[in-house]
Amino acid sequence: MKAAGLLARALSDPHGTAIEDWNALISAARAEQLIGSLACRMEGRAVPPRVAAIFDAARRDSARQRTQALWEAEMARRALAPLGVPVILLKGTAFHAAGLEASAGRSVGDLDILVPRESLDAVEAALLAAGWEHVKDTKGYDDGYYRRWMHELPPLIHRDRDRMIDVHHTILPPTARPSPDAGALIADSVALENGLRTLSPADMIVHAAAHLFADGDLAGGLRNLWDIDRLLREFDSDDFRRTLDARARRHQLAGPVARALRLAHRLYGTPAGAGRARLSDRLFEARLLARNGWGQERRKLIRFFFYVRSHWLRMPPLMLARHLWIKATR
């Protein structure tokens, strides 16, 4: 079994999966940023001493990341509270803040938040006043591209804590073919005790599927698919499936969500009501599992195809050609 496939099996059945190559499993888990999740899933299983030490360290690091992520969220809350605008946590920080099963061992990098588009200027000004700084040249092409064509502000980094924040106003670029209903994402978000908010559980799954299949090149996609598995297992019911279907259609993302359910079922055994597999799912699966036993990416042609596809999904052909030309010649 290839390393990434072994990782998927070990996550879905941590105590029943036979593991002959621990090095390959751990290398793949680290490369996919799933080592903390794997360590939590493997807790209680008899493993070799060196593996146990690695898993112990991964669980400690996950706890540290959780503390750091929640502190960054609190710092953003304090900076933005005077504005009185809804601030919705996204991705891993949201899972940790809401105490969801998806947070177990979940790695967290940048802080991602969603705010109303009409509040972007005020939010950016408040963050700059609180110590965040622009990462990119504010007069350069990248800054202008973000502000005109992307679903988020140019990234900001805190000058003291060296932590990034990505401020979104929707979940896909405005140039993308699907057009999610950002107002509905905010209106149906769930309040936390501290005043911050998270997306509704169904919208969390829609967001993960959008990021995986309607925007990116599937790099690190096993983690996104694992998020979907965990969320579905925690909230699954007939009513929830109907809600998820309705939300996927509301956000024009029924196709990506359906593919996410099919692949989550295939790789993780997710009880997703996924429907019949499609031939194209094999190509997506091959991309998701493109890791060797050293954790290195393989299948260069498939990876290049999905890299091109990710740009094609984000912008029309003429705009894409101009964008790539500027990137290549500057």
Side-chain angles (χ1 to χ4, degrees):
M1 184 184 297
K2 300 297 184 181
L6 177 61
L7 172 60
R9 288 283 302 277
L11 283 167
S12 60
D13 185 13
H15 296 280
T17 300
I19 300 171
E20 297 181 359
D21 191 344
W22 286 98
N23 285 332
L25 175 63
I26 290 169
S27 295
R30 283 174 168 161
E32 294 288 333
Q33 298 185 62
L34 280 165
I35 187 65
S37 301
L38 179 65
C40 289
R41 293 286 287 167
M42 286 279 180
E43 196 162 13
R45 172 173 173 161
V47 300
R50 290 185 178 180
V51 174
I54 290 170
F55 285 164
D56 285 344
R59 285 188 285 268
R60 289 194 301 271
D61 189 56
S62 175
R64 178 192 60 78
Q65 287 188 39
R66 177 184 183 277
T67 299
Q68 192 171 42
L70 295 180
W71 180 245
E72 285 302 309
E74 172 61 16
M75 292 298 97
R77 186 199 67 78
R78 294 181 187 182
L80 300 178
L83 302 181
V85 302
V87 178
I88 294 94
L89 301 175
L90 301 174
K91 303 180 184 178
T93 302
F95 303 157
H96 285 292
L100 301 181
E101 292 179 12
S103 69
R106 176 59 154 80
S107 63
V108 183
D110 303 340
L111 172 61
D112 292 270
I113 63 173
L114 174 72
V115 300
R117 184 165 191 166
E118 61 271 18
S119 302
L120 282 178
D121 289 346
V123 167
E124 182 177 16
L127 291 172
L128 291 173
W132 278 270
E133 299 175 332
H134 292 109
V135 174
K136 299 180 181 294
D137 179 5
T138 57
K139 297 182 180 179
Y141 170 77
D142 287 344
D143 186 88
Y145 173 79
Y146 265 91
R147 294 181 187 279
R148 185 174 182 183
W149 301 116
M150 288 299 286
H151 54 303
E152 57 187 320
L153 290 175
L156 301 170
I157 189 167
H158 198 274
R159 61 172 173 256
D160 297 324
R161 298 191 302 276
D162 199 34
R163 300 291 294 179
M164 302 269 287
I165 184 170
D166 293 322
V167 181
H168 301 249
H169 59 84
T170 185
I171 57 174
L172 284 178
T175 52
R177 290 163 181 81
S179 183
D181 188 338
L185 291 170
I186 294 171
D188 294 326
S189 61
V190 179
L192 301 173
E193 291 183 0
N194 63 358
L196 294 171
R197 307 181 72 87
T198 69
L199 295 177
S200 70
D203 282 345
M204 285 181 176
I205 293 173
V206 173
H207 181 207
H211 184 65
L212 190 54
F213 295 120
D215 182 30
D217 62 0
L218 275 72
L222 283 181
R223 186 179 68 165
N224 289 90
L225 208 61
W226 182 244
D227 291 341
I228 291 169
D229 171 89
R230 295 292 90 190
L231 290 167
L232 279 166
R233 290 181 188 273
E234 182 166 359
F235 294 103
D236 190 35
S237 69
D238 290 341
D239 285 344
F240 182 76
R241 293 188 187 192
R242 285 190 288 270
T243 298
L244 177 59
D245 180 68
R247 297 303 284 186
R249 294 178 186 278
R250 175 76 175 265
H251 298 303
Q252 300 179 18
L253 287 163
V257 169
R259 190 182 299 279
L261 298 186
R262 293 194 303 270
L263 286 170
H265 177 71
R266 179 169 177 81
L267 294 179
Y268 295 127
T270 312
R276 294 181 61 184
R278 297 187 178 182
L279 185 61
S280 59
D281 289 345
R282 294 288 186 171
L283 182 62
F284 285 83
E285 181 181 343
R287 174 64 187 94
L288 289 167
L289 300 181
R291 294 273 180 201
N292 63 21
W294 298 98
Q296 299 166 324
E297 290 191 312
R298 56 194 185 97
R299 296 172 176 162
K300 290 184 179 180
L301 185 60
I302 290 178
R303 287 191 284 115
F304 179 73
F305 167 79
F306 277 98
Y307 172 77
V308 173
R309 174 183 176 272
S310 70
H311 284 287
W312 182 262
L313 290 172
R314 289 175 185 170
M315 57 191 85
L318 290 178
M319 181 181 173
L320 174 59
R322 178 178 179 273
H323 175 70
L324 294 178
W325 173 257
I326 291 173
K327 286 283 195 178
T329 58
R330 64 180 179 177

